[in-house]
Amino acid sequence: MLDWSDRHYRYFMRQITTQTELYSEMIVADAILHGNREKLLAYSESEKPLAVQLGGSDPQKLSIASKICEDYGYSAINLNVGCPSDRVKSGNFGACLMREPNLVADCIQAMRGSVSIPVTLKHRIGLDYEDSYNALLKFVESIAKIGCVDFIVHARNAILKGLSPKQNREVPPLKYNFVYQLKKDLPQLNIMINGGIKTVEEIQEHLHHVDGVMLGREAYYNPYLFSNFDELFFSELNNDSNYVTKTRKQIAKSMINYLEIMALKDIPLHHITRHMIGLYHGCANAKLWRHTLTQDIIKSNNIKTYIDLMDKMEN
Ligand SMILES: Cc1cc2nc3c(=O)[nH]c(=O)nc-3n(C[C@H](O)[C@H](O)[C@H](O)COP(=O)(O)O)c2cc1C
């Protein structure tokens, strides 16, 4: 998620769940080719499994960018054709590419051709006011034909004219049944569902119908929701019953070392702590936590402000 799932946020999430796959922000292929690669792609080893998400519509550029990402050690590469923002639209990528399934297939094919890690696709159930399930099925079939097996489906349309990106995450109705039907019609594919999912119970219900669940906003606003995900969703899969659920305070403490390391690299502390505001979501002293992590830390940029806060926080 742009501006949210940067390396600091992901490192923080890894203190909460070790098994859940994490995703980078969308990175435009051109930026990887011509920009500051280290700044865009560097991460901590502990963030894995970690997928990098690319934006673009030029097969050759995407193929080169994919190879660079594979060399960086990412676990998977995801192509974003679900983003409705104007900036993305004017670059002819993101959700508008759903109108061009052949081009998407060319992109995925070129990306798959240059790497051996999985190349996956994130998309919407439709564009604008298209409401036919068959159009979605055809779109996915045309990409699956070239060997793509992993699809993450945001279960609402993208409306390219008249709605902001934020509205595009709220206004078009969620149609989970379209995603369930995809899995029924194409059972050989891994279908992951996304959009409006907020609770363990909802995740468990979706997992009766599809192969995986992606959480966006709730993972940011309420990260502690993930605290028992290793045990809940991965112990059987990995035949490992030793996953531990940390308390909020243990998680907060486990960030001290990282904050110290980043301070030595002159990274302002609030660049990291701003992603941790949600840890005490719904708790008694959430306000104190939020205030210290934003206001006080910005003022002091001193790790002591954070360490002193530990004494005042509940478990
Ligand atoms: C701040 C923000 C940035 C986002 N950036 C991206 C992005 O870079 N790539 C992407 O595929 N989706 C992005 N999204 C969309 C989410 O991944 C997700 O598809 C959407 O929010 C619906 O899921 P949710 O209801 O669980 O949040 C972003 C969402 C938010 C709130």
Side-chain angles (χ1 to χ4, degrees):
M1 290 180 284
L2 286 171
D3 197 40
W4 282 11
S5 63
D6 66 12
R7 60 178 301 185
H8 305 312
Y9 168 73
R10 298 184 316 246
Y11 186 91
F12 165 62
M13 283 309 285
R14 266 295 165 257
Q15 311 311 305
I16 303 175
T17 168
T18 62
Q19 302 298 305
T20 310
E21 184 166 26
L22 301 177
Y23 283 75
S24 75
E25 303 167 87
M26 179 179 73
I27 309 174
V28 178
D30 264 319
I32 294 178
L33 267 47
H34 308 296
N36 181 342
R37 243 171 241 176
E38 188 59 14
K39 188 157 183 251
L40 291 167
L41 296 177
Y43 60 88
S44 308
E45 225 19 60
S46 67
E47 290 169 41
K48 285 180 177 177
L50 174 62
V52 59
Q53 186 185 62
L54 300 184
S57 60
D58 180 319
Q60 206 198 345
K61 287 180 182 172
L62 282 165
S63 151
I64 300 169
S66 299
K67 177 70 184 131
I68 293 168
C69 292
E70 182 180 51
D71 291 343
Y72 257 83
Y74 282 92
S75 322
I77 305 193
N78 177 261
L79 180 66
N80 180 359
V81 300
C83 178
S85 94
D86 279 342
R87 194 173 65 80
V88 160
K89 212 167 44 182
S90 62
N92 190 33
F93 59 93
C96 62
L97 284 179
M98 287 192 69
R99 246 185 230 120
E100 299 185 67
N102 292 339
L103 178 56
V104 177
D106 288 348
C107 291
I108 295 279
Q109 191 158 35
M111 294 162 78
R112 280 170 50 85
S114 66
V115 300
S116 50
I117 52 176
V119 174
T120 69
L121 188 69
K122 181 162 183 264
H123 59 94
R124 299 275 184 140
I125 55 170
L127 257 198
D128 295 327
Y129 299 97
E130 169 69 69
D131 64 356
S132 115
Y133 166 75
N134 274 336
L136 171 67
L137 178 64
K138 262 189 164 167
F139 174 78
V140 172
E141 276 176 332
S142 64
I143 315 299
K145 216 162 53 193
I146 51 107
C148 184
V149 284
D150 301 293
F151 293 81
I152 302 158
V153 193
H154 183 174
R156 42 164 77 86
N157 278 28
I159 312 277
L160 296 183
K161 271 200 199 119
L163 290 190
S164 68
K166 184 168 185 289
Q167 289 170 319
N168 258 303
R169 294 191 285 267
E170 285 158 10
V171 176
L174 285 161
K175 294 181 186 166
Y176 295 137
N177 57 329
F178 274 31
V179 188
Y180 297 168
Q181 192 60 43
L182 263 187
K183 180 64 192 173
K184 275 194 195 142
D185 290 337
L186 304 168
Q188 73 280 16
L189 301 181
N190 284 326
I191 303 289
M192 270 70 76
I193 196 163
N194 167 245
I197 302 162
K198 290 186 171 180
T199 65
V200 166
E201 292 70 31
E202 287 166 14
I203 294 170
Q204 283 165 332
E205 174 57 29
H206 287 303
L207 287 175
H208 289 129
H209 303 274
V210 292
D211 303 291
V213 177
M214 173 185 266
L215 270 70
R217 287 164 290 187
E218 200 61 16
Y220 197 82
Y221 292 133
N222 183 19
Y224 197 69
L225 174 71
F226 284 63
S227 61
N228 59 352
F229 278 17
D230 291 351
E231 188 198 332
L232 271 180
F233 300 114
F234 295 95
S235 50
E236 206 180 305
L237 195 72
N238 298 343
N239 199 17
D240 185 344
S241 53
N242 295 317
Y243 295 126
V244 281
T245 299
K246 290 185 196 154
T247 64
R248 289 180 171 84
K249 199 161 178 169
Q250 284 171 329
I251 293 161
K253 283 189 171 166
S254 71
M255 288 301 288
I256 292 174
N257 189 244
Y258 185 75
L259 289 165
E260 284 168 344
I261 292 169
M262 290 298 144
L264 289 174
K265 295 183 179 179
D266 288 332
I267 310 280
L269 292 179
H270 77 96
H271 285 199
I272 303 153
T273 56
R274 76 183 180 101
H275 297 304
M276 298 159 52
I277 297 169
L279 180 62
Y280 278 89
H281 174 88
C283 298
N285 41 9
K287 209 169 160 190
L288 172 70
W289 174 254
R290 195 169 58 238
H291 191 271
T292 312
L293 257 50
T294 51
Q295 314 293 316
D296 298 349
I297 292 253
I298 290 179
K299 271 186 222 140
S300 75
N301 195 34
N302 188 334
I303 184 97
K304 193 167 177 304
T305 313
Y306 184 79
I307 292 171
D308 288 349
L309 176 64
M310 293 299 104
D311 296 334
K312 299 177 198 138
M313 298 309 297
E314 71 219 81
N315 253 327

